[in-house]
Amino acid sequence: MPAVAIELSDAGLVAVHETRGVVPGRSPGYAVVSPARTLVGEEAERRLRHEPRSVHHRFWQGLDAEPLERPYPRDLSTADLAHAHLASFGQGPRDEVGAAEPVALAVPGAYVRVQLGLLLAIAREAAIPVQGRVDLAVAAAADALEAEDESPTR
């Protein structure tokens, strides 16, 4: 089983190591898109108030390869934004725990096969060695149960 899991959600990306816990470097789930550039994560979060019409913040939940509507560039899809986000995020946690270490992805439970396939292609393109996936809600519930087990008895 992979020692590192990356949680994918519109709230942002978070990496968790099985023994070290949450890896520093959370990346907020924002993209600021203009014809000249696409900013994601913390860079995008800093620009939210300056370019509110260029903000996209639901690209993980709505992951697909269909072109986005105006005001975004014609050939841009949520998959492109997800790739930019995962690729920029993947460097920090992988530097922290080891770039060759396999990763499990915690994904929204509503993903269908097409979205899962697209996600695997995105991860491959971002050079992230995915070894498995888990439903995000199941991962959260397991974490809550583990925390409950570790709490002191009354």
Side-chain angles (χ1 to χ4, degrees):
M1 191 72 183
V4 178
I6 298 177
E7 177 184 313
L8 309 170
S9 77
D10 286 328
L13 302 178
V14 176
V16 180
H17 189 273
E18 71 178 334
T19 58
R20 298 182 202 158
V22 175
V23 176
R26 176 189 166 278
S27 183
Y30 296 108
V32 174
V33 180
S34 68
R37 67 177 197 261
T38 299
L39 302 174
V40 292
E42 289 180 345
E43 289 180 305
E45 188 175 47
R46 286 191 291 270
R47 299 293 308 163
L48 291 177
R49 296 189 197 280
H50 302 284
E51 302 178 52
R53 292 180 160 220
S54 301
V55 174
H56 199 299
H57 61 92
R58 307 248 335 144
F59 49 89
W60 285 110
Q61 190 64 39
L63 185 65
D64 66 28
E66 296 297 315
L68 292 170
E69 296 180 9
R70 292 180 71 173
Y72 304 105
R74 289 181 89 154
D75 296 332
L76 192 70
S77 70
T78 56
D80 296 317
L81 299 178
H83 174 265
H85 196 206
L86 189 59
S88 71
F89 175 75
Q91 296 311 313
R94 292 178 66 217
D95 289 344
E96 187 80 21
V97 297
E101 191 144 5
V103 172
L105 299 177
V107 301
Y111 271 17
V112 296
R113 282 185 174 197
V114 171
Q115 289 173 306
L116 293 170
L118 187 55
L119 176 58
L120 288 176
I122 289 168
R124 185 178 307 120
E125 187 66 27
I128 294 177
V130 175
Q131 191 175 30
R133 70 170 171 86
V134 64
D135 182 302
L136 193 53
V138 172
D143 189 44
L145 287 173
E146 187 176 301
E148 188 176 294
D149 287 344
E150 294 173 0
S151 66
T153 57
R154 295 179 190 188

